[in-house]
Amino acid sequence: MRREYSKHWSMAKKTKVDIAVDFAGRRLANPVFTASGTCGYADELADFMDVNRLGGFITKSITLKPRRGNPTPRIVETDAGMLNAIGLANVGLDRFIEEKLPVIAKMSMPVFVNVAGELIGEYTAVVARLAREKALAGFELNISCPNVAKGGISFGRDPEQVREITSAVRAAAGDKILIVKLSPCVTDISVIARAAVEAGADALSLINTFTAMVIDTETRMPVLANRTGGLSGPAIKPIAVYLVNKVYNEVAKPAGIPLLGLGGIRTASDAIEFLLAGASAVAVGTASFLEPDCAARIIDGIRDYCLRHNVAKLSHLVGALTAPSSLANG
Amino acid sequence: MDLSVKSAMAKGVFTATVTSNRRIRACYWTMDLEFAGAGAKAFAKFQPGQFVQVDVSGLGLPAEDRIPADLRDVSKRSILLRRPFSFAEVTAGREQTCAELLYCMLGPASMRLTTLGRGAALSFIGPLGRGFWVPPGKRLALLVVGGMGAPPIRCLAKLLRAEYPGVNVIAFVGAKTAASLPFEGQFDEMPEQIDSYIPAFAKFGIPSAVTTDDGSAGRRGFITERLAEWLDEQSAGSQDGTIIYACGPEPMLAATARLAADRNIDCQISMERRMACGIGVCQSCAVECRVEGSDETVYQLCCRDGPVFEARTVVFRTRAAIVEEIGLVKAIQEGQASPTGDEARILEALEHGEEDKS
């Protein structure tokens, strides 16, 4: 039924609307990415949608060495969300280059590799090796994973460490775009955002998941083997929109740095909220688990929105949040 | 692991129409579905043991008086993720492919399924994963079912009868009680010997042995004990022509894997894990597997590399480890729990909870 509805609106596609955006100097055909860790290395989605329609793609986290990940249970559903504690399970740099990169090289949209590690040297080793690859547009620096014992979020909580890791990776990344992904689990996200921008980040993505816990009252144990996990899904969307708007006003707009907004997006209007809050592009995460072609439907929906609202150029929407009159009047 | 048998068929998101949906006994329900068009083509090639991801997020709850008292609390939970199910029977026709979804009403997702009537539409992602396969040279297939493990084994029974007439098949079916056998029929007067008691297998000419934990149907005890006893009664000799297929709670699968390994019998088991996507991207459904010729283990994905695995490759946590992990040892030591009651509850939580209650 959802399909018939979108068919009805797809007449919009025939009319010309420019939904291309500029993202850190790179032109994207549309502002919709898939979020790291929710769409693998893109080939898994090929049965469900034309992945080349995406504005951009971010891979599952890559670490220098392969990682097994955490024991199960690794996920648990909550009301309007889910917790995950995968533990950065991935094939490691060598197998990524051997097996996944050739697949990625065939894709036409810009691809960013999400990079994680326990030590700064691991991040820079991965980035320096991949910076030579023409097929890649850039990197997303994961300093906000809540599910690993070392590295991850421990980097992303301290502005000094953020500065240090960002500038080290910036130096290794050559001419590639460097996105730094921020955790919401900090006292003032703008402090962290500012540290990343000052150290050379070309863009910021926010937000990663919230550290959270679910307890099984029958066994009185945490449900996840890792005890805690990262909360994602519609439940976190209003907080994500607020934090994007805060970072846009306090850091990104003054510095002229684009934001990639994410957290609970599953419809085009969710995506538009993030754009209005100040994101230049958005990423679809948990919603792809329900509807593997969710990102494609959001792209169509954004086009329809622009038509209905006479938006000639999508970039006009970025940060175009209108203050309520009570606030505007002081 | 032989991945050459892994299917390369197209999977996708398909809508099916409900043609009937009724309670068969206790908490068990059966829903008949009809796929048309591309869905009919995709599911015509459904292999027994493969699964689907069902979207129940848009379905409403049953009327309050139809929600069992013990499920009132969980009924308040909202649904975000799809739920994995395996079909019990699939029949490909000229235009449509019909599928039977056998399910147990035990949580907020499955209780929503009970509200669907004839003509309702339901979204499925599938067919997913790797199903059961029949290695060459098999002459005897032993089907082992524990409770809600019935659907993929029923689907396999049909395939074996239709395409492998030379293979003898016997079903070994275990449940907690007569009432919790997830089949249609009357089971309270069931004697102990192997015979055609379970209509779902008998209709394919497959006899069954039944056990229940309380002896209310068939023999009292675990089905794995019954299977081991039966195997030991057979004349000794090469077991090359024999294969065991099993689906049920993990402790039962572990016992089945052990008894197969002890007797050097081929064994395939269908595993279950919490999963979000079903298509290999969320990485949540890890199954620890041995690497052949080494002491190492790797995590494989239940949704992509399974759900059917060769039993000898899977690493099971022992019952003692499970109980210890859940803190029961401490609880018993502190006198807060009695071993038997809590163990039963924990095993039940492991059996059912992973699927739905959370």
Side-chain angles (χ1 to χ4, degrees), chain A residues 1-3 37-41 44-45 47-48 60 68-82 86 89-90 100 216 218-221 223 225 232-234 266 286 288-293, chain B residues 9-13 53 55 57 76-83 121 123 125 128 273-277 279-288 297-299 301 304 317 325-327 336 345-346 349 354 358:
Chain A
M1 260 168 267
R2 232 170 317 194
R3 251 156 249 283
T38 61
C39 290
Y41 304 100
E44 295 94 334
L45 284 192
D47 285 318
F48 301 96
K60 166 101 188 117
R68 281 165 69 88
N70 293 326
T72 57
R74 290 176 170 184
I75 59 159
V76 55
E77 188 185 69
T78 61
D79 285 311
M82 63 176 277
I86 308 300
N90 78 97
K100 307 296 181 187
D216 181 335
E218 295 302 306
T219 60
R220 304 181 186 179
M221 300 283 288
V223 172
S232 66
R266 62 174 170 180
T286 300
S288 295
F289 296 153
L290 284 70
E291 300 291 339
D293 65 344
Chain B
M9 75 190 57
K11 51 183 179 278
V13 184
Q53 284 272 67
D55 182 4
S57 64
K76 308 292 182 201
R77 292 264 342 277
S78 71
I79 305 292
L80 177 73
L81 301 171
R82 288 174 180 256
R83 294 294 194 271
S123 163
I125 299 179
L128 297 171
R273 286 288 180 270
R274 284 171 190 266
M275 55 178 73
C277 71
I279 59 171
V281 294
C282 78
Q283 306 270 324
S284 36
C285 58
V287 173
E288 192 176 3
T297 64
V298 292
Y299 281 129
L301 295 184
R304 183 193 63 198
R317 294 177 297 164
E325 190 173 323
I326 296 173
Q336 292 170 353
R345 201 192 63 213
I346 285 164
E354 298 218 344
S358 55

Side-chain angles (χ1 to χ4, degrees), chain A residues 182-195:
Chain A
L182 306 180
S183 168
C185 303
V186 293
T187 311
D188 184 351
I189 196 168
S190 291
V191 171
I192 306 295
R194 201 170 289 118

Side-chain angles (χ1 to χ4, degrees), chain B residues 142-159:
Chain B
L142 305 172
L143 311 181
V144 187
V145 170
M148 263 316 280
I153 297 290
R154 278 184 47 200
C155 201
L156 175 65
K158 183 180 176 185
L159 175 92

Side-chain angles (χ1 to χ4, degrees), chain B residues 31-196:
Chain B
M31 184 188 294
D32 289 317
L33 297 152
E34 202 170 87
F35 289 93
K41 279 208 182 75
F43 281 97
K45 295 176 194 153
F46 183 88
Q47 301 168 345
Q50 284 192 302
F51 69 102
V52 291
Q53 284 272 67
V54 187
D55 182 4
V56 295
S57 64
L59 307 183
L61 284 170
E64 198 157 336
D65 61 346
R66 305 191 71 166
I67 300 176
D70 62 330
L71 294 181
R72 294 257 161 86
D73 258 26
V74 292
S75 73
K76 308 292 182 201
R77 292 264 342 277
S78 71
I79 305 292
L80 177 73
L81 301 171
R82 288 174 180 256
R83 294 294 194 271
F85 287 95
S86 191
F87 286 141
E89 190 165 335
V90 175
T91 310
R94 282 171 62 95
E95 305 284 328
Q96 280 92 17
T97 296
C98 298
E100 182 193 343
L101 178 68
L102 175 68
Y103 63 102
C104 180
M105 178 173 171
L106 49 74
S110 48
M111 78 172 60
R112 282 170 161 83
L113 286 176
T114 66
T115 65
L116 292 176
R118 187 183 171 83
L122 204 51
S123 163
F124 293 86
I125 299 179
L128 297 171
R130 179 171 68 155
F132 293 108
W133 69 98
V134 184
K138 296 301 173 195
R139 296 182 304 277
L140 175 64
L142 305 172
L143 311 181
V144 187
V145 170
M148 263 316 280
I153 297 290
R154 278 184 47 200
C155 201
L156 175 65
K158 183 180 176 185
L159 175 92
L160 286 168
R161 267 300 60 87
E163 293 182 23
Y164 296 89
V167 178
N168 255 322
V169 187
I170 305 172
F172 290 80
V173 178
K176 286 196 179 65
T177 63
S180 60
L181 280 160
F183 299 96
E184 293 191 74
Q186 282 293 323
F187 303 118
D188 38 2
E189 292 293 317
M190 201 182 304
E192 294 190 1
Q193 67 270 28
I194 295 177
D195 209 331
S196 301

Side-chain angles (χ1 to χ4, degrees), chain A:
Chain A
M1 260 168 267
R2 232 170 317 194
R3 251 156 249 283
E4 280 160 35
Y5 183 74
S6 72
K7 203 179 284 173
H8 168 71
W9 281 104
S10 68
M11 54 198 280
K13 273 185 259 175
K14 292 178 188 133
T15 320
K16 206 167 169 184
V17 184
D18 182 9
I19 61 164
V21 292
D22 174 86
F23 188 79
R26 181 86 188 233
R27 186 188 177 277
L28 310 178
N30 65 71
V32 181
F33 285 68
T34 49
S36 175
T38 61
C39 290
Y41 304 100
D43 49 331
E44 295 94 334
L45 284 192
D47 285 318
F48 301 96
M49 65 176 284
D50 175 5
V51 289
N52 289 310
R53 285 195 63 203
L54 291 169
F57 185 84
I58 305 174
T59 69
K60 166 101 188 117
S61 287
I62 299 297
T63 52
L64 186 58
K65 300 283 175 224
R67 283 181 65 103
R68 281 165 69 88
N70 293 326
T72 57
R74 290 176 170 184
I75 59 159
V76 55
E77 188 185 69
T78 61
D79 285 311
M82 63 176 277
L83 268 58
N84 85 80
I86 308 300
L88 298 178
N90 78 97
V91 297
L93 177 64
D94 291 343
R95 271 185 65 195
F96 172 74
I97 290 169
E98 194 179 318
E99 294 169 19
K100 307 296 181 187
L101 209 50
V103 181
I104 288 170
K106 287 187 198 137
M107 299 192 287
S108 60
M109 74 291 197
V111 175
F112 294 80
V113 173
N114 182 291
V115 182
E118 293 178 1
L119 305 165
I120 290 179
E122 291 172 9
Y123 283 87
T124 53
V126 173
V127 168
R129 171 62 190 86
L130 292 176
R132 294 181 238 149
E133 298 294 338
K134 282 206 181 69
L136 301 175
F139 303 99
E140 182 180 56
L141 198 57
N142 182 353
I143 51 167
S144 42
C145 177
N147 300 323
V148 289
K150 287 185 274 181
I153 201 168
S154 62
F155 285 113
R157 280 200 178 119
D158 174 3
E160 276 321 301
Q161 286 200 54
V162 170
R163 221 177 287 275
E164 195 184 338
I165 192 168
T166 304
S167 56
V169 170
R170 174 69 275 168
D175 59 356
K176 302 290 191 201
I177 298 169
L178 178 60
I179 308 170
V180 175
K181 187 167 186 176
L182 306 180
S183 168
C185 303
V186 293
T187 311
D188 184 351
I189 196 168
S190 291
V191 171
I192 306 295
R194 201 170 289 118
V197 168
E198 287 171 2
D202 301 307
L204 302 172
S205 55
L206 66 162
I207 53 177
N208 207 323
T209 55
F210 286 87
T211 308
M213 185 190 258
V214 172
I215 296 170
D216 181 335
T217 52
E218 295 302 306
T219 60
R220 304 181 186 179
M221 300 283 288
V223 172
L224 297 178
N226 190 52
R227 294 176 56 90
T228 60
L231 175 65
S232 66
I236 72 170
K237 197 197 76 184
I239 317 179
V241 169
Y242 160 68
L243 291 173
V244 164
N245 190 236
K246 175 178 160 74
V247 170
Y248 177 72
N249 288 325
E250 297 176 3
V251 182
K253 192 179 177 191
I257 291 283
L259 300 180
L260 174 64
L262 73 160
I265 296 174
R266 62 174 170 180
T267 65
S269 65
D270 292 341
I272 303 285
E273 275 194 66
F274 278 84
L275 297 175
L276 293 170
S280 294
V282 295
V284 182
T286 300
S288 295
F289 296 153
L290 284 70
E291 300 291 339
D293 65 344
C294 185
R297 290 193 289 106
I298 288 175
I299 295 167
D300 293 340
I302 288 174
R303 210 185 293 272
D304 296 338
Y305 177 92
C306 290
L307 267 173
R308 280 187 285 125
H309 288 265
N310 281 324
V311 178
K313 224 172 142 32
L314 189 71
S315 54
H316 296 163
L317 285 182
V318 175
L321 179 64
T322 314
S325 52
S326 58
L327 286 179
N329 295 337

